[in-house]
Amino acid sequence: MFQIGDRPLQLLRETLPREGESLYPRRIDLLIVDEAHNVAPAAGGKYAVDSQRTAANRYLVPHCEHKLFLSATPHNGYPESFTALLELLDSQRFAREIQLDPKQLHLIMVRRLKRDLPPKWDGTPRFPERCLAAITVDYDEAERQANRQLNEYTQLRRQGAESRLEKTATEFVLKLLKKRLFSSPQACLTTLLKHIDTVENRRGKVKRLSQPTEGLLRRQLEAVEEEFGDDNQYEETTDDVLSQTSSLFRALSPAERASLTQLTQWAEQASRRSDSKAQELLRWLEAHLRPNGQWSKERVIIFTEYRATQKWLADLLLSQGLGEADRLMILYGGMASDEREKIKAAFQAHPDTAPVRILLATDAASEGLDLQNHCSKLIHYEIPWNPNRMEQRNGRIDRHGQKAKEVLIYHFVGKGYQDQATQGCKPGELEGDLEFLMRAAQKINTIREDLGKVGPVIAAQVEEAMLGQRVQLDTIQAERESEPLRRLLKFERKVQDEIAKLKEKLDQTRQDLRLDPANILQVVQVGLQLAQQPL
């Protein structure tokens, strides 16, 4: 990705027509955009807001004769965003904010699903089965109480919001704190301290005239949800927006300050040691990768959303001897490209050659990497609230070239989560919240080939549940709205099957009649000779 004003774009500008000059003939024959979903502008409201990626591609497309957009990730489900992306691809057929014509979309979109591909030559499936597995955690009372304190602070803050602007800022901060709490004590602590410092020390310094409008604030919040290729840039952007939103908060009440104080004390203590979830991770690693103290040939990728959690986990694994002799490698967004390639090459090499067994990776480092050669196990250290982000992670090993018969995807849940599933999610309880996230992950796995409409519904309902506004996951309406697309895909698959059968019959007939080019040529030559015609 390059940004407006960066060197690559400047070099392109020097070769492209200046403003007012003719666009014809086109200077670029073919524009190929990989991971094209990242070019779509962000959309969560009524209008799609162009990102820097969008702006850069919008500048390029008029100078390209042909365009090819590639992506294995469903679009984000917002029509405003999807139509803006299609407008970049073909502005004659599509325009942002204009309802899509399915016939026109069918002309330019080629969709290949894994199940559409034929099996291997020996009849075995071309792709392995993906299986979800739970790592159960017996959370202690202090961890449950930390979740209750955050939920209590959430309710107090939401009830006391004095304006729509403060309510918008409040929900962003509370969602961020919840995500970080479910990631690690260290990630929670850094965000918590930043939030408290801003509310207590900067709130009174923000002049009313400098406060943003609600629309501007929402655009700033949407920018945080964009895909970042650099973890440092992501953290800086998040910290800036966290400071801006926290500065819009009213002063802390005694009850709110008490909740934050207790939550901070827990995070400070928990960040100095392994919490219950980290202890279960260590047990899993010992059982699967180092049974009886001897390293096996198994490998695993552990994904986390935050660099702070990754560093905390790395220190923990090293202290337990799980990083000895290059057994542990760390991949994050923003690292030098040559170092990134070395790590990828080592992880893709045979276990007899490369000693690495554990790869700690952040979301910013995950996109576009093939890591399936000798790894079929992946652990989500926290369940992403964004369905597309979860699919990006899973796609690192669940892809063409995977040799294992099944790919195992692990999530952390509270002990007794099966009982939670039958009794319903208990609002405010740690196990209940995690069980809700697990159900969302299971739904994503079920409908992963058609996340376009259902994905945003899941994301929105997850946020509502984490803020105490929802108990059940309900995607029935969204799945019903997706039914026409499913029928179209089913029809396309049926047509493809019929074409394949007809082709097979045609090939068999050619073989039976010996209709190969040499025989046909010989027949024609004999016929011309009998007719006394020149060859």
Side-chain angles (χ1 to χ4, degrees), residues 259-271:
S259 294
L260 290 181
T261 299
Q262 293 181 42
L263 187 57
T264 303
Q265 291 173 349
W266 168 83
E268 288 175 340
Q269 294 175 1
S271 61

Side-chain angles (χ1 to χ4, degrees), residues 41 117 185 201 213 277 339 353 365 373:
L117 299 176
N201 300 325
T213 63
K277 183 169 71 168
E339 185 66 22
T353 304
N373 276 1

Side-chain angles (χ1 to χ4, degrees), residues 18 34 40 57 94 118 129 206 218 230 238 241 283 296 304 316 328 423 441 505 516-517 527:
R18 299 179 183 276
D34 196 15
N57 280 272
F94 309 102
E129 181 181 1
V206 178
R218 287 192 180 277
D230 189 318
T238 303
V241 176
R283 292 190 186 98
S296 69
T304 180
L316 177 62
L328 171 67
Q423 297 173 7
K505 290 182 179 180
D516 59 81

